[in-house]
Amino acid sequence: MSAVPSPALAAARVLRRAAPFSFSVSLLALLTATPALAQSAGGAPADATADSSQFALPDVVVSATTIPTPASEVASSVTVITGQEIEETQRRDVPDVLESVPGLNVVQTGGPGGATSVFMRGTNSNHTKILLDGVDLGDPSSSNGAFDLSALYTNDFARMEVLRGPQSGLYGSDAIGGVISMTTARGSGPAKASGYLEAGSLGTFNQVASLSGGYNNIGYALNVGHFASTSIPVTPSDILPPGEQANDNASDNWTYSGRLDADVSDTFSVNLVARYIETRLAYTSDLYNYATYTGYPAPLQDTAYGKFFIGKAEGQWSALDDKLVSTFGIAATDYTRDNASPYPNNVSAYDGDRQTYYLRSNYTFLPGQSLLFGLERYNESMTSESAWSSMDASTGDTAGYLQLQSSFFERLFIAANVRYDSNDDFGDHTTWRIAPALLFPETGTKLKVTYGTAFKAPTLYELYAPTYGNPDLAPEESTGWDAGFEQALWKDRVSFGATYFHNDITNLIVTTYNSATYTYSYENLSSATSQGVEAFLALKVTERLAVRTDYTYTSTIGHFPAGASFGVSCEPRTATSCYPLRRPSNKVSVALNWQPVDPLTLTATLVYLSDWWDVDRTTYAVVRQPGYTLFNVAANYTVNPNVTVFGRIDNLFDETYENPNGWLAPGMSAYAGLKLTY
C-alpha cells in the first residue's frame, strides 16, 4: 500500500478512527464525490504530507448515532468542542472545558484536583455516561458509580462531544441525562515532538511532552503530562473554628497516554489506546461536633491517592466495498483510590475494574440507509476497606442493540435504535430512541425532534454495601423528548436556534431512614421531572471574529411519597415534592474568538449561573446558594512554526463564589507559558 493514500481513502480512515464505534460509508461517499482530504476530529490532517488547507470536511457528529454524520443531519442536541478550541482557550482539564457547555452544571470542590460532578439537563450527577475513546469510564468502586472528571487533562484531546437527552438505546446504563464522549488525537505524517511549560497562580507548574507521527500505514502518538498546583485556597474563613488556620489544597497529576493505529491491509485495521493516571490531592476533610450536631473543617489534611488505567484494543474489518464495516475489541478500566488521614475514621481504600467485550457491524444496504448491529458484555467488580465497613462485589451485563439510520431526498434524516440489556442482578431491560430531522436547504432551516428512554443500573455499593445495601433495587428509568429548530442566514454568518426538553425519571434511588430500627438503606422511592429550554446565537462577524451565546433554562422538581423519611437531598416545595440541589435555573455562556493578525489568537469566555439550592457544608441545612459570573481571557501568539507563547487570566474580575457551598473556587488567576514544536 502506498505511504501517501488517496484523499478519499485517507478521509475514510480518519473517520473510522474518529468514531468510538463504527463508520458510515454514506459519509465516505460524500467525501469521495468531493475532491477533499478529510481532517481528523481535532483538526489535524489525515496525512501530513498533503496540504490540508486545500480541503475541508463538513462538520460531523459521532456520539448521536456512533457513526460520523454531518451535523446538519443530526436531530440530537450536541455540543462539539475541537482540540483547537481547547488549545486556544487553554482549558487544561475536563471540568474547565465543560464549564461553558449549555445544559450542564459543573460542581467542583475547589480548584484543580477537587472532586467533580456534572449535572446534565437537571438530572443527577451519575446520570451522564462518560466515554474516552469509546471506553466507559464509570467507576464500579464509587458509591454512585460516577467517574471523577478532575483526573482527566486535555493535552492529548482531539475532540469532545456533549450529547444531551436520554441515550440508553445505544449506550445502555447511565445515559439518562446524556453522554460526554472524548477522543484523543492520533498520529500521522513525519515525526513531530512538542511540549509546553506553564506556570502561574495557585502554585501552578505544568509540563507536557508529546511525540507523534506515522510511518507507512502506522500512526502513533505518545504523551506525558505533569500538572501541579501547590497553593489552592479552598476553605472559606467563616466556617473555620476560632483560631484554626485554613490549609490550601495541593494537587498533583501525572498522565501517560498513547495510541497506535495501523492499517494491516486495505480492509483490516487495528488500534490500541492506553492511559495511565496517578493523582495526589492534599485536602481538608470535615470532622463532626456531636455537641452541636455540626461539621467543621479538620485542622490537619487528608491525602487522596488515585491510580487509573484506561485501555482498549480494537480491530476493524471492511467488506463489500466498504458497505459492511465490523468492529470488535476489548476495553478495560482499573481504578485504585486510597485515602490517607491522621483521623482513623477517614482512612479508606477502593478498587474497581471493568472489562467490556464488544462486536459491532454497520451495513449500508442502500444509499442513505444503514443498519447498525451490536453485541457487548461487561464484567465489573469492586472491593473496599474503611473504618466503617468492607465489601467485595461483582456483576455483569449482556446487551444487544440495533439502529437504523436513514436519509430521504437529502431532506429527511431519521435515526432509530433499540437496545436490550440482561443484567446479572436485576434482570432484563429494554430501551429505545427515535430522532428525526427535517432539513430545508433553500432556507437553511432544520426542524428536529427526539424521543427516547434510558435507565441507570443500581451500583454495586447500592446493592451490596453493609447495612445500606439493598439487593432488591430496580433500575432508575426515564422517558424524555425534545423538539427544536436551527436556522442559518447569510451564508452561515448568522445561526440561531432553540430546543425544548422534557425528561421524566422514575424509581430514583434514595437513602431512607427507618426510625424504628435506627438504620439507613437504599430504596426506589422518588421520581423527578426536568424540563427547560436551550437556545443559541452564533455570529461570524468577520473572517477573523466570531461570537457565540448559549442560554439554558432548567426546571427540575422531585417527587416522593407522603411521609417518606430520608436524608437531605432537596428543598421542600410541597408535602410530596421538592427542588433538587445544585440545579441552577439559568445559565448563560458567551464565547468570543478573534484573530486580529495571523500570529495572534484571542479568546474570551463569560459564564453566568443563577442561584440554586445547596446543602450547607457545616450545618447540613438546605440553603440558597448565590449565583456568579466568570470571565476568562486567553491569548496565543505564534512566534514562528516552532515557538508559541501563550497566557490566560481566569476569573478576570475576581468573583468570589462557592460551587458547591463551603468550597471556595479560585479567584483571579494568571498563567503564562511557552510551547515548542519540532
Side-chain angles (χ1 to χ4, degrees), residues 406-437:
S406 300
S407 170
F408 301 98
F409 314 111
E410 298 184 355
R411 291 178 180 272
L412 177 62
F413 308 94
I414 301 175
N417 55 59
V418 61
R419 178 178 172 120
Y420 173 80
D421 282 85
S422 179
N423 188 275
D424 293 356
D425 289 294
F426 62 77
D428 303 338
H429 206 83
T430 301
T431 49
W432 56 272
R433 189 168 186 267
I434 184 168

Side-chain angles (χ1 to χ4, degrees), residues 184-200:
T184 57
R186 69 184 295 259
S188 62
K192 180 178 73 173
S194 65
Y196 70 78
L197 299 174
E198 179 181 54

Side-chain angles (χ1 to χ4, degrees), residues 334-402:
D334 194 333
Y335 304 151
T336 299
R337 297 179 291 113
D338 299 313
N339 198 77
S341 175
Y343 310 101
N345 285 346
N346 288 358
V347 176
S348 62
Y350 294 87
D351 294 278
D353 64 85
R354 178 186 289 116
Q355 305 83 39
T356 303
Y357 309 87
Y358 58 90
L359 167 66
R360 290 180 293 272
S361 291
N362 187 57
Y363 178 50
T364 302
F365 55 92
L366 288 172
Q369 308 291 322
S370 65
L371 183 66
L372 174 69
F373 165 78
L375 294 172
E376 70 177 47
R377 166 72 189 183
Y378 76 75
N379 302 305
E380 65 180 24
S381 63
M382 63 87 70
T383 61
S384 70
E385 292 286 344
S386 70
W388 303 100
S389 65
S390 63
M391 63 177 292
D392 186 342
S394 62
T395 190
D397 185 279
T398 302
Y401 55 89
L402 286 170

Side-chain angles (χ1 to χ4, degrees), residues 355-618:
Q355 305 83 39
T356 303
Y357 309 87
Y358 58 90
L359 167 66
R360 290 180 293 272
S361 291
N362 187 57
Y363 178 50
T364 302
F365 55 92
L366 288 172
Q369 308 291 322
S370 65
L371 183 66
L372 174 69
F373 165 78
L375 294 172
E376 70 177 47
R377 166 72 189 183
Y378 76 75
N379 302 305
E380 65 180 24
S381 63
M382 63 87 70
T383 61
S384 70
E385 292 286 344
S386 70
W388 303 100
S389 65
S390 63
M391 63 177 292
D392 186 342
S394 62
T395 190
D397 185 279
T398 302
Y401 55 89
L402 286 170
Q403 176 178 265
L404 177 64
Q405 190 170 355
S406 300
S407 170
F408 301 98
F409 314 111
E410 298 184 355
R411 291 178 180 272
L412 177 62
F413 308 94
I414 301 175
N417 55 59
V418 61
R419 178 178 172 120
Y420 173 80
D421 282 85
S422 179
N423 188 275
D424 293 356
D425 289 294
F426 62 77
D428 303 338
H429 206 83
T430 301
T431 49
W432 56 272
R433 189 168 186 267
I434 184 168
L438 183 60
L439 187 64
F440 299 92
E442 299 85 358
T443 61
T445 306
K446 180 169 76 172
L447 305 179
K448 57 180 186 174
V449 178
T450 73
Y451 194 101
T453 62
F455 77 101
K456 170 73 176 73
T459 67
L460 289 171
Y461 189 87
E462 290 167 340
L463 290 168
Y464 303 119
T467 307
Y468 285 83
N470 179 359
D472 296 324
L473 287 173
E476 300 175 329
E477 300 176 303
S478 80
T479 299
W481 63 276
D482 58 30
F485 76 96
E486 297 175 14
Q487 178 67 55
L489 300 172
W490 300 306
K491 298 182 179 180
D492 293 338
R493 287 190 172 275
V494 177
S495 58
F496 58 92
T499 300
Y500 171 82
F501 62 86
H502 185 104
N503 201 353
D504 291 313
I505 310 169
T506 58
N507 284 343
L508 282 170
I509 298 171
V510 297
T511 305
T512 62
Y513 178 68
N514 188 324
S515 57
T517 60
Y518 305 104
T519 59
Y520 291 89
S521 66
Y522 289 109
E523 302 288 346
N524 295 102
L525 270 191
S526 64
S527 61
T529 298
S530 176
Q531 57 188 331
V533 175
E534 296 166 351
F536 76 93
L537 171 63
L539 304 174
K540 189 174 182 180
V541 182
T542 70
E543 294 300 320
R544 294 180 176 270
L545 176 62
V547 183
R548 179 182 170 109
T549 300
D550 287 276
Y551 169 71
T552 306
Y553 170 75
T554 306
S555 172
T556 306
I557 305 295
H559 309 277
F560 51 87
S565 176
F566 48 88
V568 175
S569 60
C570 55
E571 167 64 14
R573 176 175 172 266
T574 67
T576 59
S577 68
C578 62
Y579 298 104
L581 307 181
R582 298 173 184 171
R583 275 81 158 178
S585 297
N586 299 283
K587 179 177 182 178
V588 177
S589 60
V590 182
L592 179 147
N593 186 292
W594 182 33
Q595 190 177 22
V597 294
D598 286 343
L600 177 64
T601 301
L602 304 174
T603 65
T605 306
L606 180 146
V607 177
Y608 163 77
L609 285 183
S610 64
D611 53 3
W612 65 89
W613 293 107
D614 209 331
V615 59
D616 187 279
R617 179 177 175 180
T618 58

Side-chain angles (χ1 to χ4, degrees), residues 107-130:
V107 178
Q108 186 171 36
T109 56
T116 302
S117 301
V118 175
F119 298 81
M120 185 180 294
R121 282 188 170 179
T123 60
N124 287 344
S125 59
N126 61 345
H127 287 167
T128 299
K129 190 86 162 183
I130 309 294

Side-chain angles (χ1 to χ4, degrees), residues 268-351:
F268 183 68
S269 62
V270 297
N271 69 82
L272 306 174
V273 178
R275 193 179 200 89
Y276 177 72
I277 306 169
E278 285 194 1
T279 64
R280 180 181 60 82
L281 177 68
Y283 72 101
T284 300
S285 62
D286 290 339
L287 301 180
Y288 188 71
N289 187 327
Y290 288 91
T292 62
Y293 303 104
T294 59
Y296 62 95
L300 301 177
Q301 286 192 310
D302 287 13
T303 303
Y305 299 92
K307 296 180 179 179
F308 309 93
F309 171 78
I310 303 160
K312 181 182 73 170
E314 184 176 84
Q316 191 171 81
W317 173 67
S318 301
L320 304 177
D321 294 327
D322 284 341
K323 292 181 180 179
L324 176 65
V325 180
S326 299
T327 305
F328 55 91
I330 177 173
T333 59
D334 194 333
Y335 304 151
T336 299
R337 297 179 291 113
D338 299 313
N339 198 77
S341 175
Y343 310 101
N345 285 346
N346 288 358
V347 176
S348 62
Y350 294 87
D351 294 278

